[in-house]
Amino acid sequence: MQDKAFIIAIDGPAASGKGTLARNLATHYGFHHLDTGLTYRAVAKALIDQGLPLDDEAIAARAAQELNLKGLDRTVLSAHDIGEAASKVAVMPEVRRALVEAQRKFAENLPGTVLDGRDIGTVVCPDAPVKLYITASAEVRAERRFNEMRAKNADADYNEVLDDLKRRDERDMNRSASPLKPASDAHLIDTSKMDIEAAFLEAKKLIDAALRA
């Protein structure tokens, strides 16, 4: 009987395709999936809903400790204002500590888990048997995000989306706590010229080899 979860750790910048890939892999292997970015957004939403300040680390950390990782609603949590608020609480060490602990606990779910985020392979699950770093050029990612927004009838300006992504990359890659970077043993998948099906097959090949090992 299997006594240890098989963990797939996926990192990468915004709009690289890592979320879609993570969900597809979880479905294919029958694994549990967690978009760790939503956990920070959920903390921010909890603070907003209760009218609590976004700049008080002790209050934010308490909200993080009380967070239920089951049933995080992607549609609700994807709102722009929640994303802005999340970027404020995500830099707080106490919040990160509480959420990393919760994410590690989630990763132990049998038979396996797929976690995607910014620091899964480097901080949350450094011993994961499969680590993937999904990337794409800023221009390609901006175009994807722009098309996504247009499909939802949202006002979008490509140059603004591109600037926003570059700012986010800068913030994620240069923050002092858990910066975005590939783990030393992560497999790099560049989706700039790859559709989601090709990325899935590339990832599946690596995962199948690790499952056989």
Side-chain angles (χ1 to χ4, degrees):
M1 185 175 154
Q2 186 186 350
D3 60 351
K4 198 175 175 196
F6 187 91
I7 303 169
I8 302 168
I10 304 181
D11 293 304
S16 57
K18 69 179 183 296
T20 305
L21 178 63
R23 289 191 294 276
N24 289 355
L25 289 170
T27 300
H28 176 78
Y29 290 102
F31 287 178
H32 305 272
H33 170 245
L34 179 65
D35 173 348
T36 61
L38 292 184
T39 64
Y40 291 94
R41 286 172 172 263
V43 170
K45 184 176 187 301
L47 295 173
I48 292 168
D49 288 352
Q50 295 171 70
L52 296 169
L54 293 168
D55 58 358
D56 186 313
E57 187 165 355
I59 289 174
R62 201 174 311 125
Q65 286 159 3
E66 292 167 356
L67 188 66
N68 180 0
L69 297 193
K70 287 202 170 78
L72 297 175
D73 191 327
R74 166 178 302 281
T75 311
V76 172
L77 295 174
S78 292
H80 183 71
D81 60 331
I82 293 175
E84 288 296 305
S87 69
K88 292 174 186 164
V89 299
V91 296
M92 298 174 177
E94 289 301 318
V95 172
R96 298 197 74 82
R97 202 168 291 129
L99 290 181
V100 164
E101 198 178 306
Q103 291 159 11
R104 282 179 179 152
K105 207 168 180 179
F106 179 92
E108 293 167 5
N109 278 306
L110 296 172
T113 50
V114 183
L115 283 78
D116 70 273
R118 302 281 194 283
D119 60 352
I120 311 304
T122 53
V123 175
V124 181
C125 301
D127 298 326
V130 176
K131 297 177 194 172
L132 307 174
Y133 189 85
I134 314 301
T135 190
S137 72
E139 290 72 22
V140 166
R141 291 186 289 122
E143 192 177 338
R144 287 174 187 162
R145 182 58 55 83
F146 173 74
N147 291 335
E148 240 174 58
M149 291 166 79
R150 291 295 294 271
K152 293 175 184 168
N153 296 319
D155 282 336
D157 176 282
Y158 170 78
N159 289 319
E160 278 178 18
V161 173
L162 178 59
D163 288 344
D164 189 51
L165 273 181
K166 284 180 175 174
R167 274 195 304 273
R168 195 163 164 191
D169 287 351
E170 177 78 16
R171 193 169 63 218
D172 289 342
M173 290 172 181
N174 294 302
R175 67 184 179 214
S176 55
S178 311
L180 168 65
K181 62 179 180 181
S184 58
D185 54 348
H187 300 278
L188 184 73
I189 299 179
D190 189 328
T191 65
S192 299
K193 295 176 180 170
M194 204 183 261
D195 63 18
I196 196 63
E197 183 58 27
F200 172 82
L201 292 173
E202 178 86 9
K204 183 178 176 295
K205 197 164 56 181
L206 295 164
I207 295 161
D208 287 347
L211 282 166
R212 284 194 300 270

